[in-house]
Amino acid sequence: MPTESLDKAAAAVPDPAFYQWLAGLFIREQTEETLAVLKAPETRTEFHDLAAGNDVLRGRLNRLIDVAANPADPQDQVLDLASAYARLFLGAGGSREGVPPYESVYTGADGRLYQEATAEMEALLKEQGLWLADRREPADHIAVELELLAQLTARAADDADAAARRRTLLGDHLLVWAWEFCDLCRDRDRSGFYAAAAEVLRTLLEAEERALKAH
């Protein structure tokens, strides 16, 4: 591949479908149905097509699908992953095992919820007129930010305001704190599932960071 093509691939913006899918993984526990979709052969093919030109992303997607393809009884797998979700994101395991999914915890002065990041994210949602269905979490939850990123990415090519808000969301929010979130998932997730999902997210954000620098 010519150098120019390599540069374009490196700076490519990820497909918004990845963000919407990851938002679904991080917002609630998995079910037999969601795991069945992830295990389906056509899912791997679709992911590979969407990740064209990014071999690192393909490898990390493969890792997540392989973890999901655990041959355990589906009901047992759902229970195990529900336990992992509760321990990591709902605080069931205490602070030494948990991974707070809220930006405020990482960027606020005292590590509490509902800090400046929450208000800023609420403003971004309202300014773009984007209301997320069934949102029960604060606006700075990782899944809310990823869902917003998916929607802004889908609109950015034809909407200059959406493109500007997208850059704000990335530069002032996700690219500030999500790295630490990914690190904690990698270090604390004993199931391997959410650690693998976080590595997919890390790869997408690395691509976003390259794209922002290229422009």
Side-chain angles (χ1 to χ4, degrees), residues 17-27 64 143 146 196-198 200-202 204:
F18 284 127
Y19 296 125
Q20 194 159 31
W21 166 66
L22 284 173
L25 291 189
F26 287 123
I27 197 63
L64 176 58
L146 291 175
V200 172
L201 174 57
R202 185 195 305 277
L204 295 171

Side-chain angles (χ1 to χ4, degrees), residues 91-215:
S95 61
R96 293 185 178 181
E97 293 190 46
V99 180
Y102 309 100
E103 181 182 349
S104 290
V105 175
Y106 300 86
T107 60
D110 52 9
R112 291 187 297 133
L113 297 178
Y114 298 103
Q115 301 298 299
E116 184 177 356
T118 311
E120 291 176 351
M121 285 302 305
E122 287 285 3
L124 273 175
L125 289 171
K126 291 178 181 178
E127 287 166 5
Q128 287 303 115
L130 298 177
W131 301 97
L132 308 183
D134 300 324
R135 179 163 68 85
R136 294 171 290 178
E137 294 287 354
D140 63 339
H141 189 287
I142 185 68
V144 176
E145 294 195 8
L146 291 175
E147 175 67 18
L148 177 56
L149 181 58
Q151 294 191 28
L152 289 173
T153 300
R155 295 168 55 182
D158 302 313
D159 184 337
D161 188 52
R165 296 299 177 190
R166 185 181 186 280
R167 289 192 295 272
T168 297
L169 175 58
L170 285 164
D172 294 352
H173 296 279
L174 281 162
L175 294 178
V176 174
W177 74 280
W179 309 112
E180 187 174 358
F181 171 82
C182 292
D183 287 344
L184 289 175
C185 286
R186 178 197 62 204
D187 295 341
R188 295 181 177 180
D189 176 32
R190 297 196 294 267
S191 76
F193 181 83
Y194 292 104
E199 288 304 293
V200 172
L201 174 57
R202 185 195 305 277
T203 308
L204 295 171
L205 294 179
E206 288 169 349
E208 293 285 6
E209 191 170 53
R210 290 192 297 270
L212 286 177
K213 290 179 179 178
H215 294 86

